[in-house]
């Protein structure tokens, strides 16, 4: 990252690793059978891919590594996401399922056109929508957004991530580790998030990211679940179960 930020142009993480020499790690396996080179590849293919939904060739080395994931100590919301915004919504009018299709603005205020044909007039508007919505032109702006803004919108990329939530009758794993993954594992599940320590329930969340997402989308639910269960075999605690994790799980929407 230090090398990338010193360059005159932005570089991908993959390019920065190569050009800076940071990727030149030993391929000699340590006592645990994993080499420093293996660890780097594993980090890129799991932690980085599932955190950003993109591989190292698409991610900026200068600006793309500012977030920290669950494994790094971020908080996990339990009991419903409404608890995060409940108090902030006091005394506010909230319109749900109200699609905005046009935003007209001038010095006097803002007019919002809804998909139902209704209109609202307000003093100011803060627009927070996914980058994909802006790129698709789903919302019409009048006047049009400045060229510098639209150019930046088109240049930005959006990661892809699929989550598979599995709830089991009983846990077959005994570790309190938050993240479960296997070095050199080539399955479509980059890593598993273990929610048992934080929720008390035997729930695992499988993350599939970047180029693996289109592959999983070609499978039906049953095939994908069975393939995902096979990736959990290394985490079976023989003292809890004598079989592989084969119970039919609940797919949590």
């Amino acid at each position: 990252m230090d090398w990338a930020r010193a360059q005159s142009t932005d570089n991908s993480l993959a390019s920065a690793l190569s050009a800076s020499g940071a990727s030149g790690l030993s391929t000699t396996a340590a006592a645990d059978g994993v080499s420093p080179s293996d660890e780097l590849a594993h980090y890129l293919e799991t932690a980085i891919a599932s955190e950003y939904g993109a591989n190292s060739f698409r991610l900026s080395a200068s600006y793309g590594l500012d977030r920290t994931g669950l494994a790094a100590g971020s908080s996990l919301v339990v009991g419903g996401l409404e608890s995060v915004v409940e108090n902030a919504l006091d005394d506010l009018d909230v319109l749900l399922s109200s699609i905005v299709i046009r935003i007209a603005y001038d010095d006097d205020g803002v007019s919002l056109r809804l998909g139902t044909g209704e209109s609202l007039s307000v003093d100011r508007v803060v627009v927070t929508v996914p980058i994909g919505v802006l790129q698709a032109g789903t919302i019409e702006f009048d006047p049009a957004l400045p060229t510098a803004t639209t150019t930046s919108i088109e240049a930005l990329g959006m990661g892809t991530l699929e989550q598979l939530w599995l709830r089991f009758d009983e846990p077959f794993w005994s570790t309190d580790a938050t993240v479960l993954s296997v070095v050199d594992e080539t399955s479509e599940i980059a890593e598993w998030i273990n929610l048992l320590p934080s929720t008390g329930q035997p729930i695992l969340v499988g993350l599939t990211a970047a180029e693996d997402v289109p592959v999983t989308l070609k499978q039906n639910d049953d095939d994908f679940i069975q393939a995902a269960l096979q990736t959990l075999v290394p985490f079976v605690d023989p003292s809890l179960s004598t079989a592989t994790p084969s119970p039919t799980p609940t797919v949590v929407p």
Side-chain angles (χ1 to χ4, degrees), residues 59-119:
L59 190 64
S60 165
S62 302
Y63 308 104
L65 300 176
D66 295 332
R67 303 186 322 187
T68 55
L70 190 62
S74 298
S75 298
L76 176 70
V77 176
V78 295
L81 286 173
E82 69 273 7
S83 62
V84 177
V85 297
E86 218 167 34
N87 294 333
L89 295 179
D90 287 346
D91 301 323
L92 293 179
D93 293 327
V94 180
L95 299 179
L96 302 177
S97 302
S98 302
I99 300 174
V100 176
I101 62 174
R102 185 173 185 270
I103 302 175
Y105 59 100
D106 55 29
D107 293 339
D108 296 326
V110 185
S111 175
L112 305 176
R113 175 64 60 85
L114 305 182
T116 58
E118 300 174 278
S119 295

Side-chain angles (χ1 to χ4, degrees), residues 68-244:
T68 55
L70 190 62
S74 298
S75 298
L76 176 70
V77 176
V78 295
L81 286 173
E82 69 273 7
S83 62
V84 177
V85 297
E86 218 167 34
N87 294 333
L89 295 179
D90 287 346
D91 301 323
L92 293 179
D93 293 327
V94 180
L95 299 179
L96 302 177
S97 302
S98 302
I99 300 174
V100 176
I101 62 174
R102 185 173 185 270
I103 302 175
Y105 59 100
D106 55 29
D107 293 339
D108 296 326
V110 185
S111 175
L112 305 176
R113 175 64 60 85
L114 305 182
T116 58
E118 300 174 278
S119 295
L120 295 174
S121 295
V122 295
D123 295 329
R124 297 286 187 274
V125 165
V126 177
V127 181
T128 58
V129 296
I131 188 67
V133 173
L134 294 176
Q135 291 175 338
T138 304
I139 301 175
E140 177 189 356
F141 290 88
D142 183 18
L145 296 175
T147 301
T149 301
T150 56
T151 300
S152 297
I153 289 172
E154 291 303 319
L156 287 172
M158 182 169 56
T160 52
L161 179 70
E162 289 287 324
Q163 298 182 3
L164 175 65
W165 291 63
L166 301 181
R167 187 202 310 273
F168 298 85
D169 293 331
E170 298 290 338
F172 56 83
W173 64 97
S174 57
T175 178
D176 288 332
T178 304
V179 179
L180 310 179
S181 63
V182 177
V183 176
D184 287 337
E185 177 60 50
T186 58
S187 71
E188 296 149 7
I189 300 292
E191 58 187 11
W192 291 91
I193 306 299
N194 176 19
L195 297 187
L196 182 60
S198 57
T199 67
Q201 299 196 38
I203 299 175
L204 296 175
V205 183
L207 304 179
T208 300
E211 288 72 20
D212 287 333
V213 171
V215 177
T216 62
L217 293 179
K218 293 179 181 178
Q219 300 176 326
N220 61 46
D221 288 349
D222 290 340
D223 289 341
F224 182 40
I225 289 174
Q226 290 306 313
L229 289 175
Q230 290 303 309
T231 70
L232 291 170
V233 171
F235 306 104
V236 172
D237 185 338
S239 67
L240 298 177
S241 173
T242 57
T244 58

Side-chain angles (χ1 to χ4, degrees), residues 12-29:
S12 70
L13 177 58
S15 296
L17 283 168
S18 176
S20 67
S23 61
L25 301 177
S26 171
T27 58
T28 302

